[in-house]
Amino acid sequence: TPRPRVTTEPIVPPPIDEPVCIENCILPPPVWNLDGLEIPYQRVNVTIANQVATTHVEQLFRNPNDWLLEGTYFFPLPPGAAVSQLTMWVNGVPIEAKILPQAEARAIYDEVVRQLRDPALLEYVGADAIQANVFPIPPGEERLIEIEYTHLLTAENGAFRYVYPQSAGLYTQTPLDEQAIRVELISDEAIRTLYSPSHSVAVARDGEFRATVGYEAANVIPTDDFELYYTVSPEEIGLTLLSYKEPGEDGFFLLLVAPGIEPGQVVAKDVILVLDTSGSMEGEKMAQAQEAAAYVIGHLNPEDRFALVSFSTGVNLYESELLPATTPGDYRQYIDSLMAVGGTNISDALLEAANLVQPERPTTIIFLTDGLATEGITDTSLLLQSVGAALPDNARVFAFGVGDDVDTTLLDTLAAEQRGATTYVRPGQAVDEAVSAFYAKVGSPVLTDILLDMGGIRADQVYPVELPDLFAGTQLVVAGRYRESGPATITLSGNANGAPQTFTYADQLFRDEGGEAFIPRLWATRAIGHLMQQIRLRGEDEELVQSIVNLSTRYGVITPYTSFLIEEDDI
């Protein structure tokens, strides 16, 4: 979660050329103003239907001072979220936002500021965060900001998790006079469990398929993310196809697949743990990584083997070869003796792990790090290229990021290219819960080498570009475009438990008109994410940037190159 916050300052026009933060952003420290803005209320209304969560936030700012103030509101977003609305209310009149190229929006904003009119600007400030500027707020007046965003919830070990991010100083030290969070849940499958581990909530059920969750507090400074978990009936989720099409245009589809994979015979596997012991891991991060490594080794199947690679400036091995899980030796003493000191040689560590992989057995590499390479190959693109060339096809990489300073680009790309997954653990988060959920993916039967047949429907611009492995208890999420509409039989094939398996879903319909209107924005979010990944790895390219701007302005998805802008037109 980013480190968003509200800051306030007396009226000073901001500079025209502000740097754009593209990745691994560290937001500036807040400028505390004890006589700054008040926050009379924040109201959050969430609707979850068809696994799509729509979050609507109303935030009221009040200036109790005798001078003008500018409010700057940093707001976190869940991964993959798309902002669909920004509205500012001035004197009871709503002003909607429009999306513009970033430089153009900033120039207009600065010009309006000099004229002491009321614009609001919502711009990308880093991965999974947005910034709203509200200027000016006259003495004694209020400004109401509305933000709405949409994101997709996917199954993890049979459970769905909704998060409203608000930790890490979102509202500075200014308490919310009133906070209310309401979640309306609608499910096609019967809702089984429904609970919040973070807040005391009231739950009202309306039959088996609908429920409402409520939370209210007064004079509160939010310090914890609002989390809500729910599970549905134990029947197979199977396949869900959602589509949307306007007449005369290509359609959009969203495919959610969770096949029922039979447990079958447990396949013996090799697990190689790569543990970062560099100086940047000192303290809580190191302790978290040690607990995670010990948990994994302690939960191996009897037929499994393992190796432990630790690294800082150099690379060390617990043993020079893979050890049977039945005779692991005193691995806990070795793990506990590791000290956080030195640089971060990620490339040599992963190349050493690649040398341990034996082609005749499925191999899982679990990489625990804060993800900032300072030794060996430090160029992310070259590092990924070198490791990718060294790893055999039977190896999968699962990245485990510890702490708030993780290089998410490196870890996410590494896991995606090696058909693994990424898990992040923040300081203070319960390590045992995060690691057990993570290892459940690795230890469960998996469908590899996946192929998807749309049954005669011509699909293109499909994301993810390379389909990942599918783990029991999780979902495969695919978004794309299609041309011809109509009924289709969708077939998912791959290898499970060492044998080919095929799952067939008949009577699926790609609509010829109408459908779920949120799908184009979700597709565009994934398309932009793919293009941004190319820019991060290979540098800015004019054609890629223009493609991002085109998608952003067409579908209303905020990016580092575009901004929402509100202009007051003679209210």
Side-chain angles (χ1 to χ4, degrees):
T1 305
R3 296 183 178 274
R5 55 189 67 83
V6 174
T7 64
T8 59
E9 291 183 331
I11 175 172
V12 177
I16 293 178
D17 296 322
E18 293 188 356
V20 176
C21 182
I22 295 181
E23 60 175 304
N24 299 324
C25 303
I26 300 176
L27 300 180
V31 179
W32 303 120
N33 186 336
L34 299 180
D35 298 320
L37 293 177
E38 296 177 345
I39 306 175
Y41 67 77
Q42 184 207 62
R43 297 166 186 164
V44 183
N45 285 282
V46 184
T47 301
I48 303 175
N50 289 324
Q51 296 181 217
V52 176
T54 301
T55 302
H56 186 92
V57 183
E58 294 184 9
Q59 179 95 6
L60 182 65
F61 298 97
R62 175 186 295 147
N63 180 8
N65 302 283
D66 296 329
W67 56 85
L68 292 170
L69 287 177
E70 176 180 13
T72 302
Y73 183 34
F74 289 99
F75 190 85
L77 290 171
V83 178
S84 55
Q85 178 193 2
L86 169 65
T87 304
M88 180 175 70
W89 292 75
V90 180
N91 298 325
V93 179
I95 315 171
E96 297 291 339
K98 57 184 176 181
I99 197 164
L100 297 170
Q102 196 271 346
E104 180 180 345
R106 170 54 63 183
I108 294 175
Y109 178 83
D110 290 338
E111 180 61 28
V112 173
V113 164
R114 293 188 179 95
Q115 298 173 17
L116 297 185
R117 297 166 62 204
D118 282 333
L121 181 69
L122 184 65
E123 61 186 345
Y124 183 105
V125 296
D128 307 325
I130 55 178
Q131 169 184 294
N133 295 319
V134 187
F135 186 96
I137 303 178
E141 292 196 13
E142 298 176 335
R143 292 294 180 266
L144 175 64
I145 294 292
E146 289 187 77
I147 298 176
E148 184 173 281
Y149 61 87
T150 303
H151 72 291
L152 182 69
L153 308 182
T154 56
E156 291 288 340
N157 299 313
F160 298 91
R161 174 176 179 255
Y162 170 83
V163 178
Y164 176 64
Q166 57 178 7
S167 59
L170 175 57
Y171 309 115
T172 70
Q173 297 176 348
T174 303
L176 305 176
D177 293 349
E178 171 199 333
Q179 183 185 39
I181 301 176
R182 182 180 187 274
V183 181
E184 182 179 359
L185 174 60
I186 305 169
S187 173
D188 292 335
E189 302 286 339
I191 302 169
R192 296 174 59 205
T193 59
L194 177 61
Y195 70 100
S196 171
S198 60
H199 291 67
S200 297
V201 299
V203 177
R205 292 179 177 265
D206 182 8
E208 294 185 338
F209 305 97
R210 302 177 69 98
T212 302
V213 178
Y215 167 81
E216 289 187 5
N219 194 31
V220 60
I221 299 178
T223 57
D224 298 315
D225 294 342
F226 177 87
E227 295 181 276
L228 185 68
Y229 287 84
Y230 70 94
T231 60
V232 296
S233 59
E235 288 77 16
E236 295 179 12
I237 299 174
L239 178 142
T240 300
L241 172 65
L242 305 175
S243 59
Y244 177 83
K245 194 174 189 297
E246 295 185 1
E249 297 186 9
D250 288 353
F252 301 83
F253 71 88
L254 184 66
L255 197 62
L256 307 170
V257 190
I261 302 176
E262 294 296 329
Q265 180 182 359
V266 176
V267 177
K269 63 182 179 297
D270 293 339
V271 177
I272 302 173
L273 292 113
V274 182
L275 182 61
D276 187 344
T277 62
S278 63
S280 60
M281 291 284 292
E282 184 179 7
E284 186 178 18
K285 289 194 290 187
M286 187 64 193
Q288 289 180 331
Q290 289 170 316
E291 285 300 317
Y295 178 94
V296 170
I297 297 175
H299 287 76
L300 293 171
N301 295 321
E303 298 82 6
D304 295 342
R305 300 183 303 189
F306 78 97
L308 181 58
V309 180
S310 61
F311 71 95
S312 56
T313 300
V315 178
N316 296 293
L317 298 177
Y318 169 52
E319 295 288 350
S320 59
E321 59 184 14
L322 291 157
L323 296 177
T326 52
T327 55
D330 198 352
Y331 67 89
R332 185 69 206 225
Q333 180 181 355
Y334 176 81
I335 291 174
D336 290 343
S337 69
L338 296 173
M339 298 181 61
V341 61
T344 310
N345 197 334
I346 291 175
S347 58
D348 283 4
L350 291 176
L351 291 174
E352 186 66 47
N355 289 333
L356 292 168
V357 177
Q358 299 184 10
E360 70 276 7
R361 287 166 63 101
T363 301
T364 297
I365 297 176
I366 300 178
F367 177 40
L368 301 98
T369 184
D370 60 0
L372 300 173
T374 60
E375 303 277 357
I377 303 174
T378 57
D379 179 80
T380 300
S381 182
L382 182 58
L383 193 159
L384 292 168
Q385 181 181 352
S386 300
V387 172
L391 284 170
D393 292 338
N394 63 310
R396 301 289 185 264
V397 175
F398 298 85
F400 202 104
V402 182
D404 281 335
D405 300 323
V406 179
D407 184 349
T408 57
T409 300
L410 171 65
L411 299 190
D412 290 344
T413 306
L414 179 66
E417 291 185 349
Q418 304 304 323
R419 288 178 286 180
T422 311
T423 298
Y424 296 102
V425 176
R426 297 194 56 216
Q429 183 179 347
V431 177
D432 54 348
E433 295 178 7
V435 175
S436 60
F438 172 82
Y439 192 68
K441 299 178 182 179
V442 179
S444 300
V446 61
L447 191 68
T448 64
D449 306 315
I450 292 177
L451 296 175
L452 197 59
D453 186 338
M454 296 295 193
I457 297 293
R458 289 194 294 173
D460 56 12
Q461 302 181 66
V462 175
Y463 302 99
V465 174
E466 183 177 352
L467 297 180
D469 292 345
L470 181 61
F471 300 90
T474 64
Q475 282 182 307
L476 175 67
V477 180
V478 179
R481 305 291 305 269
Y482 67 92
R483 298 181 184 180
E484 298 82 3
S485 56
T489 296
I490 298 177
T491 302
L492 181 73
S493 61
N495 294 311
N497 296 315
Q501 288 207 21
T502 300
F503 304 88
T504 302
Y505 305 94
D507 302 322
Q508 302 298 319
L509 178 64
F510 289 82
R511 294 176 179 267
D512 59 2
E513 186 175 348
E516 321 294 346
F518 58 81
I519 297 176
R521 183 174 288 110
L522 290 180
W523 169 84
T525 300
R526 284 156 174 76
I528 289 171
H530 174 72
L531 294 171
M532 285 299 304
Q533 193 79 333
Q534 302 307 306
I535 288 177
R536 292 185 180 114
L537 293 175
R538 300 175 177 85
E540 286 192 347
D541 174 270
E542 183 177 349
E543 184 176 350
L544 290 176
V545 171
Q546 189 58 51
S547 296
I548 290 173
V549 171
N550 292 342
L551 286 169
S552 174
T553 54
R554 170 67 177 85
Y555 297 102
V557 179
I558 201 165
T559 75
Y561 305 103
T562 53
S563 298
F564 275 124
L565 180 69
I566 292 176
E567 291 185 86
E568 178 192 3
D569 295 321
D570 301 324
I571 295 178

